[in-house]
Amino acid sequence: MEWYKDDTIPIPSTGTQEAWEKMPYFFSDRNEGRTRWGVRYSNYTLHQTMMKNYYRMATEVDTACGAILEELRRQDALNNTVII
């Protein structure tokens, strides 16, 4: 939880109510995109928490993939491995 703790995640131009209102008609209140938008952008504190957690998860996945690749290199198996 220390990763990104002191960072401020900017709100993108699409993270405003005005931007949401410009979305196509099929992004109604029953659309999953609307639900996710609300979770990410309904208030500043929630946005910071959600996005920092998302970045933490992506960083952890990247770190794990790097460790796997390094182990494959160590075992001289990287050129005989397909990564999907």
Side-chain angles (χ1 to χ4, degrees):
M1 294 303 286
E2 292 297 310
W3 291 339
Y4 310 108
K5 181 179 81 171
D6 297 325
D7 294 328
T8 299
I9 310 302
I11 296 174
S13 60
T14 56
T16 65
Q17 185 64 34
E18 179 184 14
W20 178 256
E21 290 170 3
K22 292 179 181 178
M23 297 298 280
Y25 72 92
F26 50 82
F27 282 98
S28 68
D29 288 338
R30 296 179 305 183
N31 183 283
E32 181 62 23
R34 178 66 168 194
T35 301
R36 290 177 186 217
W37 187 93
V39 168
R40 291 186 180 119
Y41 303 113
S42 62
N43 70 61
Y44 181 80
T45 302
L46 184 58
H47 171 71
Q48 292 301 306
T49 300
M50 292 296 295
M51 296 311 295
K52 288 177 184 184
N53 286 340
Y54 182 79
Y55 290 174
R56 288 174 183 123
M57 180 185 65
T59 300
E60 185 61 30
V61 169
D62 184 62
T63 300
C65 288
I68 292 167
L69 289 171
E70 187 55 39
E71 182 60 23
L72 289 167
R73 280 188 200 94
R74 190 186 70 72
Q75 293 183 24
D76 198 27
L78 186 58
N79 290 333
N80 296 323
T81 303
V82 176
I83 299 172
I84 299 173

